[in-house]
Amino acid sequence: MHELSLCQAIAGVVKPHAEGRRVNVVRVQIGALRQVVPESLEFCWTLVREYEQLADAELELEFIPAAVKCRSCEEDSQIESRWSICCPRCSSPDVEVIRGNEFLVTSLEVA
């Protein structure tokens, strides 16, 4: 369950920026290719936030769909499958991932 280590990493980013203030909301972008189970991440956050003295901090997740640029047909396309990153237009595996690898704390709401 790598979601637990991801939550620990989130807390490690949040605490220094909070500077001792109470954190109400932590907003995180997660790309579709990160293989994160949202329910598991949210559960792990409830464990980590207690341990890290962030008990009031809610986790808001924004999921970013995956997109690729095909080197064969030069098409930019959103991909639906987390298991295949071939071009949806021409089926070429020669693609560059342009979106979907994100894992980023985007903002905090503090008191």
Side-chain angles (χ1 to χ4, degrees):
M1 178 181 346
H2 74 287
E3 284 84 353
L4 183 57
S5 62
L6 293 175
C7 286
Q8 290 169 326
I10 292 169
V13 168
V14 168
K15 288 180 74 173
H17 290 286
E19 298 174 335
R21 297 171 289 179
R22 188 179 85 223
V23 177
N24 296 324
V25 179
V26 178
R27 292 179 186 88
V28 178
Q29 285 184 342
I30 301 174
L33 299 175
R34 284 293 174 170
Q35 305 298 314
V36 173
V37 177
E39 296 82 10
S40 183
L41 189 71
E42 290 167 348
F43 172 74
C44 290
W45 180 248
T46 64
L47 302 175
V48 168
R49 72 182 184 178
E50 296 296 326
Y51 178 77
E52 294 287 349
Q53 290 78 44
L54 296 166
D56 296 326
E58 295 297 322
L59 192 61
E60 286 185 7
L61 304 176
E62 177 187 359
F63 288 93
I64 308 299
V68 295
K69 178 166 187 67
C70 181
R71 292 183 182 104
S72 296
C73 72
E74 298 184 2
E75 183 77 18
D76 287 356
S77 304
Q78 185 169 315
I79 57 174
E80 301 301 322
S81 173
R82 296 187 328 184
W83 310 111
S84 172
I85 57 169
C86 293
C87 176
R89 182 172 179 210
C90 72
S91 300
S92 172
D94 188 15
V95 297
E96 174 188 357
V97 174
I98 56 176
R99 193 175 62 238
N101 280 322
E102 296 82 359
F103 185 80
L104 179 67
V105 175
T106 58
S107 68
L108 304 177
E109 188 177 296
V110 296

